[in-house]
Short mmCIF file of all heavy atoms in Angstrom, two decimals:
data_model
loop_
_atom_site.label_atom_id
_atom_site.label_comp_id
_atom_site.label_asym_id
_atom_site.label_seq_id
_atom_site.Cartn_x
_atom_site.Cartn_y
_atom_site.Cartn_z
N GLY A 291 -21.04 117.04 50.78
CA GLY A 291 -20.34 117.34 52.02
C GLY A 291 -21.33 117.65 53.12
O GLY A 291 -21.19 117.17 54.26
N LYS A 292 -22.35 118.40 52.84
CA LYS A 292 -23.33 118.81 53.86
C LYS A 292 -24.25 117.64 54.23
O LYS A 292 -24.70 117.55 55.37
CB LYS A 292 -24.15 119.99 53.38
CG LYS A 292 -23.29 121.23 53.14
CD LYS A 292 -22.43 121.57 54.33
CE LYS A 292 -21.47 122.67 54.08
NZ LYS A 292 -20.58 122.94 55.20
N MET A 293 -24.55 116.75 53.28
CA MET A 293 -25.35 115.58 53.62
C MET A 293 -24.62 114.68 54.61
O MET A 293 -25.20 114.20 55.59
CB MET A 293 -25.66 114.78 52.32
CG MET A 293 -26.48 113.54 52.59
SD MET A 293 -26.55 112.40 51.21
CE MET A 293 -24.85 111.78 51.27
N LEU A 294 -23.32 114.48 54.42
CA LEU A 294 -22.54 113.66 55.34
C LEU A 294 -22.49 114.29 56.74
O LEU A 294 -22.60 113.62 57.75
CB LEU A 294 -21.12 113.45 54.79
CG LEU A 294 -21.02 112.64 53.47
CD1 LEU A 294 -19.60 112.70 52.96
CD2 LEU A 294 -21.48 111.22 53.69
N GLU A 295 -22.29 115.59 56.74
CA GLU A 295 -22.24 116.29 58.02
C GLU A 295 -23.58 116.23 58.74
O GLU A 295 -23.64 115.99 59.94
CB GLU A 295 -21.83 117.75 57.78
CG GLU A 295 -21.60 118.55 59.06
CD GLU A 295 -21.12 119.95 58.77
OE1 GLU A 295 -20.72 120.24 57.62
OE2 GLU A 295 -21.14 120.76 59.71
N GLN A 296 -24.67 116.41 58.01
CA GLN A 296 -25.99 116.40 58.64
C GLN A 296 -26.32 115.03 59.16
O GLN A 296 -27.01 114.87 60.17
CB GLN A 296 -27.06 116.83 57.59
CG GLN A 296 -28.45 117.00 58.17
CD GLN A 296 -28.50 118.08 59.22
OE1 GLN A 296 -27.95 119.16 59.07
NE2 GLN A 296 -29.16 117.81 60.35
N SER A 297 -25.88 113.98 58.49
CA SER A 297 -26.12 112.62 58.91
C SER A 297 -25.58 112.38 60.30
O SER A 297 -26.25 111.78 61.15
CB SER A 297 -25.51 111.62 57.92
OG SER A 297 -25.65 110.32 58.38
N ALA A 298 -24.37 112.86 60.56
CA ALA A 298 -23.77 112.68 61.89
C ALA A 298 -24.52 113.51 62.93
O ALA A 298 -24.72 113.08 64.06
CB ALA A 298 -22.31 113.05 61.85
N LYS A 299 -24.93 114.74 62.54
CA LYS A 299 -25.64 115.62 63.50
C LYS A 299 -27.01 115.03 63.86
O LYS A 299 -27.51 115.24 64.95
CB LYS A 299 -25.74 117.01 62.92
CG LYS A 299 -24.41 117.74 62.84
CD LYS A 299 -24.49 118.99 62.01
CE LYS A 299 -25.22 120.09 62.73
NZ LYS A 299 -25.23 121.34 62.00
N ASN A 300 -27.63 114.30 62.91
CA ASN A 300 -28.90 113.70 63.22
C ASN A 300 -28.76 112.65 64.31
O ASN A 300 -29.70 112.43 65.10
CB ASN A 300 -29.49 113.05 61.95
CG ASN A 300 -30.06 114.09 61.00
OD1 ASN A 300 -30.33 115.21 61.38
ND2 ASN A 300 -30.24 113.69 59.74
N LYS A 301 -27.63 111.97 64.36
CA LYS A 301 -27.40 110.97 65.41
C LYS A 301 -27.38 111.62 66.79
O LYS A 301 -27.85 111.07 67.77
CB LYS A 301 -26.08 110.22 65.17
CG LYS A 301 -26.10 109.33 63.92
CD LYS A 301 -24.80 108.64 63.72
CE LYS A 301 -24.81 107.80 62.45
NZ LYS A 301 -23.51 107.15 62.17
N ILE A 302 -26.82 112.83 66.83
CA ILE A 302 -26.80 113.56 68.12
C ILE A 302 -28.25 113.89 68.54
O ILE A 302 -28.63 113.67 69.70
CB ILE A 302 -26.03 114.88 67.98
CG1 ILE A 302 -24.62 114.59 67.48
CG2 ILE A 302 -26.01 115.63 69.28
CD1 ILE A 302 -23.83 115.81 67.17
N ALA A 303 -29.03 114.33 67.56
CA ALA A 303 -30.40 114.70 67.88
C ALA A 303 -31.19 113.50 68.39
O ALA A 303 -31.96 113.59 69.33
CB ALA A 303 -31.07 115.29 66.64
N GLU A 304 -31.00 112.32 67.77
CA GLU A 304 -31.71 111.13 68.19
C GLU A 304 -31.38 110.78 69.64
O GLU A 304 -32.23 110.38 70.40
CB GLU A 304 -31.39 109.96 67.25
CG GLU A 304 -32.01 110.12 65.88
CD GLU A 304 -31.54 109.03 64.91
OE1 GLU A 304 -30.80 108.12 65.35
OE2 GLU A 304 -31.90 109.08 63.74
N VAL A 484 -15.55 112.92 58.47
CA VAL A 484 -16.30 111.72 58.03
C VAL A 484 -15.37 110.50 57.93
O VAL A 484 -15.74 109.41 58.33
CB VAL A 484 -17.02 111.98 56.72
CG1 VAL A 484 -17.54 110.69 56.12
CG2 VAL A 484 -18.17 112.98 56.91
N VAL A 497 -19.10 107.76 66.74
CA VAL A 497 -18.87 109.21 66.90
C VAL A 497 -20.17 109.93 66.61
O VAL A 497 -20.65 109.89 65.47
CB VAL A 497 -17.73 109.70 66.00
CG1 VAL A 497 -17.55 111.20 66.18
CG2 VAL A 497 -16.43 108.96 66.30
N ARG A 498 -20.74 110.60 67.60
CA ARG A 498 -22.03 111.24 67.44
C ARG A 498 -21.89 112.76 67.25
O ARG A 498 -22.86 113.46 67.06
CB ARG A 498 -22.89 110.95 68.68
CG ARG A 498 -23.00 109.45 68.97
CD ARG A 498 -23.52 109.21 70.37
NE ARG A 498 -24.93 109.55 70.49
CZ ARG A 498 -25.90 108.67 70.22
NH1 ARG A 498 -25.63 107.46 69.83
NH2 ARG A 498 -27.16 109.04 70.36
N PHE A 500 -19.07 115.59 65.44
CA PHE A 500 -17.81 115.81 64.73
C PHE A 500 -16.77 116.52 65.59
O PHE A 500 -15.56 116.28 65.45
CB PHE A 500 -18.08 116.67 63.49
CG PHE A 500 -18.59 115.89 62.30
CD1 PHE A 500 -19.41 116.50 61.36
CD2 PHE A 500 -18.24 114.56 62.13
CE1 PHE A 500 -19.84 115.76 60.26
CE2 PHE A 500 -18.67 113.84 61.07
CZ PHE A 500 -19.50 114.45 60.12
#
Side-chain angles (χ1 to χ4, degrees):
K292 298 308 174 183
M293 180 194 70
L294 295 172
E295 186 176 347
Q296 187 62 45
S297 176
K299 291 169 73 176
N300 285 341
K301 293 179 181 177
I302 303 173
E304 289 174 4
V484 168
V497 179
R498 306 165 72 88
F500 278 151

